[in-house]
Amino acid sequence: QVQLVESGGGSVQSGGSLTLSCAASGYTTSTHCMGWFRQAPGQERVAVAMVFTDEKITHYADSVKDRFTISQDNANNGLYLQMNNLRPEDTAMYYCAAGEYCSGGYFSDRAYKYWGQGTQVTVSS
């Protein structure tokens, strides 16, 4: 089992920045991919960014490319999401997720076995 706890959400104005953190604990060596997803009210949960933790290969959704940066801290089992130039449409609950190999689509939420409880990000115009 792997436990994930997110932090760092909050309210910012458009153009502002936030950094989300995800602390992983438990059998973390069983996971080889981690990602950030978000879900706005009334919408489906969608992938924002992910990383293959062994190869350190990252992927981003087009909507956040060049604004968000995903990073990992292997020593402390941490995952981060630096979000710059935030827009009102970035408002959502953000979730940290971890998967074993993310086969079958690294942006599909079905590829991830473990999920955090989420942290709210609200961007005002």
Side-chain angles (χ1 to χ4, degrees), residues 7-100:
S7 61
S11 297
V12 296
Q13 290 191 327
S14 182
S17 299
L18 281 174
T19 299
L20 305 184
S21 300
C22 175
S25 61
Y27 191 34
T28 58
T29 54
S30 68
T31 58
H32 301 278
C33 53
M34 297 187 73
W36 289 97
F37 287 71
R38 68 186 182 188
Q39 186 170 23
Q43 297 186 24
E44 293 185 351
R45 185 168 57 188
V46 296
V48 174
M50 68 81 60
V51 57
F52 288 101
T53 54
D54 298 334
E55 300 87 351
K56 298 179 174 56
I57 295 173
T58 59
H59 295 279
Y60 295 91
D62 288 342
S63 59
V64 305
K65 209 169 285 185
D66 299 325
R67 298 190 299 124
F68 290 11
T69 302
I70 189 171
S71 61
Q72 58 185 89
D73 179 352
N74 289 337
N76 296 310
N77 293 323
L79 183 73
Y80 308 94
L81 186 68
Q82 173 68 43
M83 305 184 295
N84 297 327
N85 192 19
L86 283 161
R87 305 166 179 168
E89 54 264 39
D90 295 318
T91 295
M93 184 72 78
Y94 283 70
Y95 298 92
C96 174
E100 294 182 341

